[in-house]
Amino acid sequence: MTCTRRASTPRPRSSPRSRRRAAPSRRSSGRPQYCAPAPHGCLLVQGALAVGDASEPVRRALAACRAAILDAIAQRLRQGVDDGDLPADTDVADLARYVIVTSNGIAVQAAGGATRDELLRSIAVAMRAWPAAR
C-alpha cells in the first residue's frame, strides 16, 4: 500500500463552520500517519529539525512551509470570526498555533507508536477546547 500525505491548507470561505473545518482535519491527520509501509510521522514536523550546516537550506525550506500553513490556518480562522462561527474576541493567531501544535503532536505521537484509536481519542479531547460559536 502506498500512502502520501497531501498538504492541506484551509481555503477561505470553504466551510461556513470553523470547528467542522478543523475537527475533520485533526481526525484525518491520524490516518496518513498509519499507511504502511510509509514511515510514521510527518516530514514537515520532524524533517531537518536537528541538522548540520549542509542541510540548513532544507531546514529553512521546511520552516517556511510550516509558517505558510500557520498563516493559512489563521486566515481561515479570521474568516470564521467574520462569519460569526467563532466568537469576536477569538485570538486567531493563538488558535491557529493551537491547531498546529495539536497536529504536530499527532505526528510525533504516531512516529512514537501511538495507535490510530489513541490519536483519535486525543483529537477528541483537543477539540473540547475549541471556542463556541456566538
Side-chain angles (χ1 to χ4, degrees):
M1 175 178 181
T2 305
C3 179
T4 58
R5 183 168 182 184
R6 190 183 84 206
S8 175
T9 55
R11 293 179 298 253
R13 298 186 186 273
S14 65
S15 171
R17 306 297 291 173
S18 296
R19 181 182 174 86
R20 277 194 310 228
R21 180 75 176 140
S25 69
R26 301 290 65 82
R27 282 194 301 272
S28 66
S29 65
R31 290 187 189 120
Q33 312 293 345
Y34 277 93
C35 295
H40 297 319
C42 174
L43 176 64
L44 280 176
V45 173
Q46 298 172 348
L49 289 178
V51 297
D53 292 341
S55 298
E56 183 61 21
V58 174
R59 189 199 63 74
R60 281 195 312 267
L62 291 174
C65 287
R66 290 188 301 267
I69 291 168
L70 179 65
D71 288 344
I73 292 169
Q75 178 183 354
R76 175 59 188 95
L77 294 173
R78 271 187 216 95
Q79 187 64 51
V81 170
D82 293 345
D83 291 346
D85 64 305
L86 286 172
D89 63 347
T90 299
D91 186 320
V92 295
D94 285 350
L95 189 55
R97 178 82 54 196
Y98 175 77
V99 170
I100 290 294
V101 166
T102 303
S103 182
N104 290 356
I106 291 166
V108 171
Q109 290 297 305
T115 68
R116 182 172 182 271
D117 286 341
E118 289 169 335
L119 297 177
L120 291 175
R121 286 194 311 269
S122 295
I123 292 164
V125 170
M127 291 308 297
R128 290 181 200 154
W130 198 260
R134 56 178 162 164

